[in-house]
Amino acid sequence: MEITCIQYKHSDLVKPEGRVDSATAPQLAKALEDITNAGRFRIVLDLSGVDFMSSAGLRVLISTQKTCKRYNRGEIALAAVPKRIYDALDLAGFIPLFRFFDSALDAVGAM
Amino acid sequence: MPEPPPESPSAKNSTDPTAPAPAGRARNLSQTRVFTAQFDNLETVRQFVGDAARNAGLNDSDVYATQLAVDEAFTNIIEHAYEGESLEKIECSYKISKSGIVITLTDCGKPFDPAAIPVPNLEAELEARDIGGLGLYFIRTLMDEVEFTFTRQADTGKLCNILRMVKHRES
């Protein structure tokens, strides 16, 4: 899995590409922790390049959301979520816990 | 290592999946592969069952659901039955039937009791969300039949877990 991170003025954009499963989820967790550990809590996760995500990936999303939302200091928003991954988020009851955007650009603009 | 390109259903599934296999290239109606209990094998396991599910005539959405369920099951075996990654074995078999596909995962780790896995709370507030049990919930929701049994292997005498999952072809 390749992960691209771009730091904008008001948010950080993280774009993983490939599959997020039990083998690769730690990589994604590390990329997101590097941002929150640096004290930045407004993150856009662009999922357009992700073709598979298991509950191991969902675990990373929920734990990052908990960190970001604590003390109302920010959030992780999800952008360009492929249908299959959206369906899995829906199955897990995650839809009310995240803001969704059609594109990374829309999300970065709204943060 | 470069990642494979995003799955393109049209490219991978350009022929009618319900059509008979071309002569001389008969499809495998059943196959068994043995993997070590390592997360790096997940990609290969998903490909193995994905190809089989496509050959069984499942639609793209059901192929993905089957791959996700098997990924979760394989992960659960590593995490719970073998208590972490190891060189222990996980056997993965499939059988294509008239109505769909039957997938069986067998391991000889700790006996698995599905009743001991918590049921995830899908409506809790963010802070109360605990991801435990989501894998098993996915398996049960995504597959049409799910059955956990134990068996004693004839040759080794070991007690083994058998997880049998069925996905029906949409008619």
Side-chain angles (χ1 to χ4, degrees):
Chain A
M1 181 172 60
E2 297 282 323
I3 304 178
T4 314
C5 299
I6 305 172
Q7 189 180 342
Y8 289 105
K9 197 172 171 199
H10 297 292
S11 64
D12 281 72
L13 176 63
V14 177
K15 186 173 188 217
E17 281 176 271
R19 61 203 160 86
V20 185
D21 59 14
S22 296
T24 60
Q27 247 179 286
L28 179 61
K30 166 86 171 58
L32 293 166
E33 277 163 19
D34 284 349
I35 296 169
T36 56
N37 286 343
R40 302 196 304 274
F41 302 101
R42 282 202 292 263
I43 302 173
V44 172
L45 186 66
D46 179 350
L47 291 177
S48 59
V50 175
D51 49 64
F52 178 88
M53 187 182 282
S54 73
S55 68
L58 269 55
R59 185 180 290 142
V60 174
L61 300 191
I62 207 84
S63 117
T64 306
Q65 187 67 303
K66 282 183 185 179
T67 304
C68 289
K69 285 211 162 175
R70 202 162 295 148
Y71 316 120
N72 256 336
R73 60 193 173 185
E75 68 176 308
I76 179 169
L78 308 181
V81 182
K83 182 177 184 309
R84 305 245 190 278
I85 296 173
Y86 187 89
D87 289 346
L89 291 164
D90 192 17
L91 202 58
F94 278 17
I95 305 302
L97 305 178
F98 297 89
R99 279 206 291 167
F100 291 85
F101 293 91
D102 289 342
S103 72
L105 201 65
D106 289 350
V108 168
M111 297 295 273
Chain B
M1 202 169 69
E3 288 286 336
E7 204 156 291
S8 159
S10 53
K12 279 197 160 179
N13 198 7
S14 53
T15 54
D16 176 3
T18 56
R25 243 189 75 230
R27 287 172 174 146
N28 282 324
L29 288 180
S30 68
Q31 207 179 331
T32 297
R33 281 185 66 176
V34 177
F35 300 92
T36 52
Q38 291 171 303
F39 293 132
D40 274 345
N41 285 326
L42 282 167
E43 170 93 72
T44 317
V45 173
R46 288 197 302 269
Q47 267 168 19
F48 178 60
V49 297
D51 290 346
R54 242 170 253 118
N55 286 341
L58 269 58
N59 64 36
D60 290 335
S61 161
D62 287 345
V63 169
Y64 186 88
T66 305
Q67 288 177 309
L68 180 52
V70 171
D71 177 289
E72 300 289 350
F74 197 89
T75 294
N76 271 354
I77 292 170
I78 295 174
E79 287 178 348
H80 300 293
Y82 290 127
E83 299 177 297
E85 291 184 280
S86 74
L87 295 177
E88 298 285 347
K89 304 286 189 283
I90 301 175
E91 188 188 283
C92 180
S93 308
Y94 71 79
K95 200 170 158 188
I96 295 174
S97 70
K98 276 190 185 133
S99 60
I101 188 164
V102 181
I103 294 166
T104 310
L105 292 183
T106 307
D107 69 82
C108 302
K110 260 181 29 181
F112 178 70
D113 176 12
I117 303 290
V119 178
N121 184 341
L122 306 176
E123 286 166 10
E125 291 295 312
L126 177 67
E127 275 305 317
R129 286 298 178 110
D130 178 10
I131 205 88
L134 207 49
L136 182 58
Y137 169 77
F138 272 9
I139 296 166
R140 287 211 157 112
T141 312
L142 296 169
M143 300 303 277
D144 295 312
E145 291 172 41
V146 177
E147 186 184 59
F148 293 91
T149 50
F150 305 107
T151 186
R152 195 170 290 282
Q153 271 192 336
D155 46 349
T156 62
K158 276 196 216 164
L159 196 61
C160 301
N161 295 301
I162 302 176
L163 168 55
R164 181 179 176 273
M165 299 174 278
V166 181
K167 190 76 180 168
H168 297 145
R169 188 186 311 115
E170 259 184 34
S171 45

